[in-house]
């Protein structure tokens, strides 16, 4: 009896063990499947949480019959966004992604910007003051003042197709004891300043004249795209084109980078297009301008939604009238 | 110990072996069945975990439209033909399905699959009603998304 019972127990144990051994791979496969699924779902959720975007600007050039639409999107998440995987809706219609530009903003370098005073025989360099001087003082002599600004534009890709460049200066004040036409001649140069010294005087090439620096406030000047340096600094020299007359003076004073905070600092805005949209990505904290040309609509009111590949959405409205 | 005792022992031994084998058989069948069920369930769960869809488009402009846009925001391919669209709980007829590829709409083919990151457009047989409503889209494995819309 004892032998029979022992044999029976052994057989049962061996049988159950055998069944478990056969079943184990099947169960393990199932557990792995769930584990893998959980892992991927975690990635999906994590990716969705890390993705975030915001429409920071929307502009219309034209009217509803025919207009260009520019949507400025900022990547407010922590991961890169693939441009080609964005979807843009306008009133529940999908828009084709064909054109994108980036607008880069450069501030003037504090060590390079400033002004130079020349009295006909000697130069004096000022590069630590809050404002820069442009003008001429003919009281007791003839002293010229020229302003200098320098922008490190080396981060621009060599192949970037620049579509627009604008130089912004904020005039703090103008001082004069006579009436003048405030014409300012703009000159540019590549790596022409470094640290401002008298060697910068006359080291530039003319490109434009402005006639509105005689009033206080922001002034902008278009810069030819060929005058933007993709390998280093883009520098500017501003010369007055007025004669205050004998024993008179007239001086315009734009803010420099040494002024408190950023709100008055001179800056250069460069917009360039992207030719390879398939490879284009938007890094965190960066903007992209999505441009749609030749649109037309019978509706004036529009809602634009931009959706990433994992569903993060931003929305804004515009009126094309 | 006589001959009779040996026979008795042999009979008990054989009987116990037969019973043991029967128990093992039953246990093996049950374990195998459980393993198979677990595997099937885990496959279904794994598929659901990898699938995620999101109704996109603008909720202010769904009313009056025949298009429902859905993005595959998961990591698995989806059979768009087996994906259903509901309006406030009632199934909507879908005339056609298109996928957005390379800046153009391509009609969905049963040979193809709705890829991760891809946008699908379900063309409903009748325009969505205006006013407050709820759209639901349900994938083959039960994963779904909902969007409430209204006139803005």
């Amino acid at each position: 009896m004892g032998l029979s019972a022992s044999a029976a127990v052994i057989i049962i144990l061996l049988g159950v063990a055998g069944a478990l051994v056969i079943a184990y791979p099947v169960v393990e496969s199932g557990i792995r499947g769930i584990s893998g699924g959980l892992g991927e779902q975690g990635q999906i959720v994590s990716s969705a949480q890390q993705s975030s975007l915001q429409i920071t600007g929307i502009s219309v050039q034209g009217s509803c019959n025919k207009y260009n639409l520019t949507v400025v999107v900022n990547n407010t998440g922590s991961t890169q966004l693939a441009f080609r995987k964005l979807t843009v809706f306008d009133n529940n219609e999908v828009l084709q992604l064909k054109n994108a530009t980036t607008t880069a903003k450069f501030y003037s370098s504090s060590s390079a910007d400033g002004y130079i005073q020349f009295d006909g025989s000697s130069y004096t360099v000022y590069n630590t003051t809050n404002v820069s001087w442009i003008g001429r003082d003919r009281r007791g002599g003839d002293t010229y003042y020229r302003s200098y600004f320098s922008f490190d534009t080396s981060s621009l890709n060599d192949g970037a197709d620049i579509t627009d460049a604008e130089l912004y200066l904020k005039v703090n004040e103008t001082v004069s004891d006579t009436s003048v036409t405030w014409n300012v001649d703009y000159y540019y140069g590549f790596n022409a300043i470094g640290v401002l010294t008298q060697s910068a005087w006359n080291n530039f090439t003319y490109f434009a004249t402005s006639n509105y620096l005689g009033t206080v406030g922001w002034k902008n000047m278009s810069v030819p795209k060929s005058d933007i340096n993709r390998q280093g600094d883009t520098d500017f020299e501003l010369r007055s084109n007025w004669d205050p007359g004998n024993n008179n003076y007239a001086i315009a004073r734009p803010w420099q980078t040494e002024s408190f905070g950023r709100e008055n600092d001179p800056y250069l805005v460069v917009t360039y297009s992207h030719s390879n949209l398939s490879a284009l990505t938007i890094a965190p904290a960066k903007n992209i301008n999505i441009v749609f040309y030749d649109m037309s609509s019978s509706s004036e009111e529009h809602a634009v939604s931009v959706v990433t590949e994992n569903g993060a959405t931003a929305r804004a409205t515009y009126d094309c009238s | 110990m006589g001959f009779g005792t040996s026979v008795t022992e042999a009979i008990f031994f054989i009987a116990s072996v037969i019973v043991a084998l029967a128990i093992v058989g039953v246990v093996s069948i049950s374990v195998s069945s459980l393993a198979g069920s677990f595997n099937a369930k885990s496959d279904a769960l794994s598929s659901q975990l990898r699938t995620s869809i999101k109704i996109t488009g603008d909720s202010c402009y769904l009313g009056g439209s025949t298009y429902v846009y859905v993005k595959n925001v998961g990591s698995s391919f989806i059979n768009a033909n087996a994906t259903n669209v509901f309006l406030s709980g009632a199934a909507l007829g879908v005339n056609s399905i298109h996928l957005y590829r390379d800046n153009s709409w391509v009609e969905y083919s049963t040979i193809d699959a709705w890829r991760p990151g891809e946008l699908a457009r379900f063309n409903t047989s009748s325009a969505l009603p205006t006013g407050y409503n709820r759209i639901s889209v349900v994938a083959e494995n039960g994963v779904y998304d909902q969007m409430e819309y209204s006139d803005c």
Side-chain angles (χ1 to χ4, degrees):
Chain A
M1 287 282 293
L3 177 64
S4 303
S6 301
V9 168
I10 291 170
I11 291 170
I12 290 171
L13 288 174
L14 286 175
V16 170
L20 290 174
V21 165
I22 292 170
Y24 172 74
V26 176
V27 173
E28 191 214 15
S29 170
I31 292 173
R32 282 193 180 188
I34 295 175
S35 172
L38 282 170
E40 287 196 32
Q41 191 191 57
Q43 285 181 352
I44 292 168
V45 172
S46 172
S47 173
Q49 287 176 340
Q50 291 173 0
S51 288
S52 168
L53 72 170
Q54 188 180 12
I55 296 176
T56 56
I58 190 162
S59 62
V60 173
Q61 295 89 40
S63 63
C64 296
N65 288 337
K66 185 175 179 181
Y67 63 98
N68 298 333
L69 175 68
T70 300
V71 180
V72 184
V73 174
N74 181 263
N75 181 359
T76 52
S78 57
T79 58
Q80 292 224 350
L81 297 177
F83 178 79
R84 264 289 180 225
K85 295 190 176 178
L86 296 177
T87 306
V88 180
F89 292 91
D90 185 330
N91 285 4
N92 219 37
E93 288 188 24
V94 175
L95 299 183
Q96 287 190 341
L97 296 177
K98 289 183 176 178
N99 301 282
T101 64
T102 292
T103 300
K105 190 173 187 178
F106 305 92
Y107 285 100
S108 183
S109 163
S110 62
S111 63
D113 70 1
Y115 68 99
I116 299 176
Q117 168 188 302
F118 178 60
D119 63 8
S121 60
S122 64
Y123 299 88
T124 307
V125 176
Y126 300 89
N127 64 352
T128 60
T129 57
N130 286 343
V131 292
S132 189
W133 290 24
I134 309 168
R136 191 173 175 187
D137 188 344
R138 297 187 65 184
R139 297 171 297 176
D142 196 357
T143 302
Y144 291 83
Y145 299 93
R146 293 180 181 175
S147 291
Y148 297 85
F149 303 92
S150 178
F151 304 89
D152 181 0
T153 48
S154 60
S155 62
L156 294 171
N157 287 333
D158 289 354
D161 181 14
I162 295 173
T163 57
D164 187 61
E166 300 278 332
L167 173 64
Y168 288 84
L169 304 173
K170 188 176 184 182
V171 176
N172 174 45
E173 63 177 351
T174 59
V175 292
S176 66
D177 61 0
T178 185
S179 174
V180 297
T181 300
W182 297 87
N183 287 339
V184 171
D185 293 334
Y186 285 70
Y187 292 73
Y188 84 96
F190 287 2
N191 303 315
I193 298 177
V195 176
L196 187 62
T197 64
Q198 69 182 57
S199 64
W201 191 271
N202 278 346
N203 194 24
F204 294 81
T205 306
Y206 169 82
F207 71 88
T209 297
S210 155
N211 62 358
Y212 48 74
L213 254 70
T215 55
V216 173
W218 284 103
K219 317 293 176 185
N220 61 298
M221 168 59 73
S222 287
V223 180
K225 58 185 182 181
S226 59
D227 298 351
I228 302 297
N229 187 4
R230 293 172 177 78
Q231 283 91 35
D233 296 340
T234 302
D235 300 329
F236 297 96
E237 178 188 62
L238 272 64
R239 305 179 189 178
S240 59
N241 193 3
W242 57 78
D243 184 352
N246 214 8
N247 293 318
N248 295 115
Y249 71 100
I251 298 170
R253 295 173 178 163
W255 289 102
Q256 287 189 183
T257 306
E258 284 80 0
S259 62
F260 179 77
R262 273 286 190 216
E263 58 187 73
N264 297 325
D265 289 356
Y267 61 92
L268 177 68
V269 175
V270 179
T271 301
Y272 55 94
S273 64
H274 297 274
S275 56
N276 186 3
L277 296 180
S278 298
L280 178 60
T281 58
I282 311 161
K286 295 297 184 185
N287 288 336
I288 196 82
N289 309 321
I290 309 176
V291 188
F292 304 97
Y293 294 105
D294 300 331
M295 294 179 64
S296 63
S297 175
S298 56
S299 305
E300 291 182 353
E301 294 180 0
H302 293 253
V304 170
S305 297
V306 182
V307 186
T308 67
E309 89 179 284
N310 52 18
T313 304
R315 184 179 187 269
T317 58
Y318 73 92
D319 190 319
C320 63
S321 62
Chain B
M1 298 247 297
F3 176 75
T5 303
S6 300
V7 169
T8 303
E9 285 184 354
I11 291 171
F12 272 120
F13 180 78
I14 293 168
S16 61
V17 167
I18 292 170
V19 168
L21 287 174
I23 293 172
V24 167
V26 169
V27 169
S28 297
I29 291 170
S30 298
V31 168
S32 177
S33 175
L34 277 171
S37 300
F38 176 77
N39 202 24
K41 185 66 178 176
S42 68
D43 280 348
L45 181 58
S46 173
S47 168
Q48 288 180 334
L49 291 170
R50 289 175 166 83
T51 303
S52 184
I53 54 175
K54 182 177 171 67
I55 302 173
T56 56
D58 200 291
S59 61
C60 288
Y61 293 90
L62 269 184
S65 174
T66 57
Y67 292 151
V68 177
Y69 297 98
V70 187
K71 202 155 199 177
N72 178 358
V73 296
S75 60
S76 65
F77 293 81
I78 299 175
N79 179 359
N81 263 346
T83 301
N84 296 305
V85 182
F86 296 86
L87 174 70
S88 299
L92 280 180
V94 174
N95 288 341
S96 62
I97 304 168
H98 289 77
L99 300 178
Y100 199 65
R101 289 182 180 163
D102 297 325
N103 266 337
S104 63
W105 291 105
V106 176
E107 185 153 8
Y108 180 77
S109 162
T110 53
I111 304 172
D112 203 345
W114 183 6
R115 304 168 190 166
E118 211 163 39
L119 179 72
R121 184 182 72 192
F122 294 83
N123 187 357
T124 58
S125 53
S126 57
L128 298 173
T130 55
Y132 177 82
N133 285 283
R134 178 183 296 163
I135 281 281
S136 302
V137 177
V138 186
E140 183 177 21
N141 57 9
V143 172
Y144 70 96
D145 190 32
Q146 292 181 324
M147 176 189 275
E148 294 174 353
Y149 72 89
S150 61
D151 301 331
C152 295

